[in-house]
Amino acid sequence: MMRFSLVLALAAAVVEGTLSSYREPANFDPKKALASRGFNVKQLSTFFGANYNASSGDCTAAVSILHSLYPNRTIVQNTPEEQAWSLGYWSAIQGEETPAVVFQPARADEVSTAILVSRWTQCKFAVKSGGHASMKSASNIDNGITIDLVNLNTIQPSQDKKIVALGAGLKWGAVYTELAKHGIQVNGARGSDVGVGGFTTGGGISYFANKYGWGCDNVASYELVTASGSILTVTPTSYPDLYKALRGGGPNFGIVTRFDLEAFPQGDIFSGSLIYSYDERAKVIPAFSKFAYSTDTKVHTWMFVLNLGGQKVFSVLNMYSSPIVDPPVFSEMRSIPHLSSDTAVRSLVNMTDQIAAQGPAGSRDMFWTHTFKMDEAFIAWFVDMFYAETDAVQGKYEGMNALPLIQFLTKTNLERWGRNGGNSLPLRAEGGPYINIIFALMWKNEADDDVLISTIARVMNKAKAEGVKRGLFVDYVYMNYGSEYQDVLESYGANKEVLRRVAEKYDPKEVFQKLRPGYFTFNGPPRTVGPGAS
Ligand SMILES: Cc1cc2nc3c(=O)[nH]c(=O)nc-3n(C[C@H](O)[C@H](O)[C@H](O)COP(=O)(O)OP(=O)(O)OC[C@H]3O[C@@H](n4cnc5c(N)ncnc54)[C@H](O)[C@@H]3O)c2cc1C
Ligand SMILES: *[C@@H]1O[C@H](CO)[C@@H](O)[C@H](O)[C@H]1NC(C)=O
Ligand SMILES: *[C@@H]1O[C@H](CO)[C@@H](O)[C@H](O)[C@H]1NC(C)=O
Ligand SMILES: *[C@@H]1O[C@H](CO)[C@@H](O)[C@H](O)[C@H]1NC(C)=O
């Protein structure tokens, strides 16, 4: 490892917090920007020779710079440390990538330096928060810089407990555990091991969606590091266009280093799942479907369609956000004969830990999602189609778990999307309620990728085609469950162009499209060739 002894007095912060006319200067030079922070750019030629082209994109210079600037915050390629670190991804598909360097900044200005180093050296980067995205290169990058936000882990409630400042590398379990001590909560993920960063930038469905909307609808303010390394405080008034874009537009505008979330008083919840035999489908599907029309802001439900060792079952979540045993709203669900139930009054931490334990890290994973207008008959059709299409593969592949999940975007939920000026997602309450179907697939061996990925693609393409035929298909792909073969931003309709213009304004050189290439950008699906392509 080549080391520099850099003369460095990094400016503590490069805050340009309130200029809503922010634009990157046309002549912006990342090398000069680094030099202006005390970074001795000339030393590169001392180490690599006068003819060394630092901008060749081969990452040697970037690794050396980051390692010498921040020896305690870097993990280098092919070391035991890197191997241990890679287990922090939920999906093995992401964990098996080997970055040239893992950089773990502890402050926004260190994130800023990393972006400038990437721009100068043209070494590509990825950004990791909770590491729960399943597709290759979403938050990890072979032979590039993986910026792991794990050290951005502040949990700071305001004095009046109405706002909580959250570091962008936290997982929700840590957040819920800490906030429970204050008697408050925030609108985060339903599994404790999901990260704050990806969840909130893509949308974010929580147990409290009917009361508060999605995660992105509850952000009072973002701290964002832009492509030129500026640290912006993004609120509805400081940068209204950027604020709206960040609410659901994904990773296309910068790196969020802190989310200031609106908090609410919250104690224990009533929650758990009832398992029904498929034989009860004529009762379960109509009873579950009623929740699509619910205006009760305390209710949250979903239905998993499962094959447990050859037995076809439904698992229906009954969640109520007050500590009331057996709320009347679930009495019809309870009255249908069921195989088991684990509903109880419990803490949010307990519930979200249970969900996390049901989907442990280490498998190969894939998600695929589509949205439809609410229609009970369509749900029944989907369930039968899923079993018909997957019975032949069930139990044949090591570690295989095929988990379609059906959930509702109620009008009550969608009305909350309008909070604080509205988010950048394309649905409107008038068109609701909607069905969101997610197909989650887990398996063990790479050798089984092709057959299983083509199965999930076939099931979801059939669902789409039938939805089109019945006039129910809605072209909205929810980013957080989108597959790498889906064009998430194209599904935002007219909002895509609005988002693209915002990205062009704050990132004119397309750093977050080209130097941070993974996940959902404006350039079509992350992948177009392979077993999931139709
Ligand atoms: C078991 C499980 C449970 C889930 N539960 C829910 C749920 O209840 N509701 C729901 O809506 N979704 C849920 N999801 C989906 C989840 O929201 C997405 O997988 C999400 O992308 C995970 O975020 P992350 O930070 O953990 O992932 P990461 O892989 O770290 O990040 C995902 C993407 O976001 C980008 N990103 C992350 N942080 C930032 C940042 N600070 N600034 C800019 N870009 C950033 C990354 O670069 C990457 O492209 C669940 C997923 C799993 C596997
Ligand atoms: C350095 O390499 C990049 C990428 O290959 C190239 O575009 C650029 O022109 C090179 N610069 C010099 C001075 O050779
Ligand atoms: C950073 O690492 C050096 C040696 O690698 C060590 O001496 C020092 O204590 C570390 N500093 C911190 C803050 O961990
Ligand atoms: C949740 O609480 C129940 C009842 O106290 C307990 O049996 C269970 O183990 C807990 N689950 C988790 C994941 O903590």
Side-chain angles (χ1 to χ4, degrees), residues 346 350 353-354:
R346 44 168 112 205
N350 176 286
D353 279 351
Q354 180 180 326

Side-chain angles (χ1 to χ4, degrees), residues 11-318:
V14 208
V15 183
E16 299 181 17
T18 52
L19 300 171
S20 61
S21 58
Y22 174 89
R23 272 185 200 274
E24 177 176 309
N27 62 352
F28 180 79
D29 180 350
K31 184 177 173 182
K32 284 193 185 133
L34 280 168
S36 75
R37 295 185 192 186
F39 176 78
N40 186 347
V41 290
K42 290 211 179 72
Q43 279 191 357
L44 259 197
S45 46
T46 314
F47 283 89
F48 290 96
N51 294 327
Y52 181 71
N53 180 352
S55 306
S56 68
D58 76 354
C59 293
T60 313
V63 174
S64 299
I65 294 167
L66 288 171
H67 189 63
S68 50
L69 285 178
Y70 307 106
N72 298 1
R73 307 212 195 288
T74 44
I75 301 171
V76 292
Q77 197 167 29
N78 300 325
T79 55
E81 291 79 7
E82 194 199 50
Q83 279 184 357
W85 168 86
S86 70
L87 299 177
Y89 286 93
W90 183 66
S91 167
I93 292 172
Q94 283 227 77
E96 68 197 13
E97 290 187 82
T98 56
V101 62
V102 178
F103 177 47
Q104 301 178 313
R107 303 189 325 207
D109 63 272
E110 295 173 359
V111 173
S112 168
T113 300
I115 294 179
L116 295 177
V117 168
S118 165
R119 285 188 72 169
W120 178 25
T121 62
Q122 294 291 300
C123 174
K124 293 181 176 163
F125 66 98
V127 179
K128 175 181 188 253
S129 171
H132 252 262
S134 47
M135 76 191 67
K136 189 171 166 61
S137 305
S139 48
N140 202 3
I141 184 165
D142 271 328
N143 302 316
I145 305 164
T146 295
I147 302 176
D148 175 3
L149 305 177
V150 64
N151 290 325
L152 299 177
N153 55 12
T154 316
I155 306 173
Q156 186 64 59
S158 63
Q159 206 91 65
D160 64 5
K161 299 189 183 182
K162 290 199 167 136
I163 301 284
V164 180
L166 295 179
L170 285 160
K171 293 188 173 200
W172 290 106
V175 176
Y176 298 149
T177 303
E178 177 61 25
L179 295 185
K181 296 178 196 161
H182 302 266
I184 56 175
Q185 282 305 344
V186 287
N187 212 22
R190 297 167 297 187
S192 58
D193 54 350
V194 173
V196 169
F199 174 90
T200 312
T201 48
I205 303 181
S206 85
Y207 291 116
F208 311 108
N210 282 343
K211 186 152 190 189
Y212 300 106
W214 281 13
C216 67
D217 303 320
N218 295 262
V219 186
S221 155
Y222 299 83
E223 181 183 75
L224 180 82
V225 180
T226 69
S228 58
S230 295
I231 301 167
L232 308 183
T233 301
V234 183
T235 70
T237 49
S238 68
Y239 302 96
D241 52 357
L242 193 49
Y243 175 78
K244 188 163 185 162
L246 285 168
R247 288 175 61 185
N252 293 297
F253 311 95
I255 301 177
V256 179
T257 45
R258 202 188 71 225
F259 297 86
D260 293 347
L261 291 191
E262 292 171 9
F264 44 86
Q266 179 66 50
D268 286 355
I269 60 174
F270 171 82
S271 190
S273 296
L274 281 73
I275 313 275
Y276 303 89
S277 162
Y278 172 79
D279 299 338
E280 301 292 347
R281 71 193 281 282
K283 289 186 189 136
V284 173
I285 292 173
F288 170 64
S289 291
K290 287 181 187 160
F291 292 104
Y293 305 96
S294 177
T295 54
D296 189 330
T297 58
K298 294 191 168 185
V299 167
H300 192 72
T301 62
W302 66 52
M303 182 168 99
F304 274 112
V305 182
L306 304 172
N307 185 317
L308 295 179
Q311 194 185 7
K312 296 182 171 117
V313 300
F314 305 125
S315 173
V316 179
L317 175 80
N318 289 192

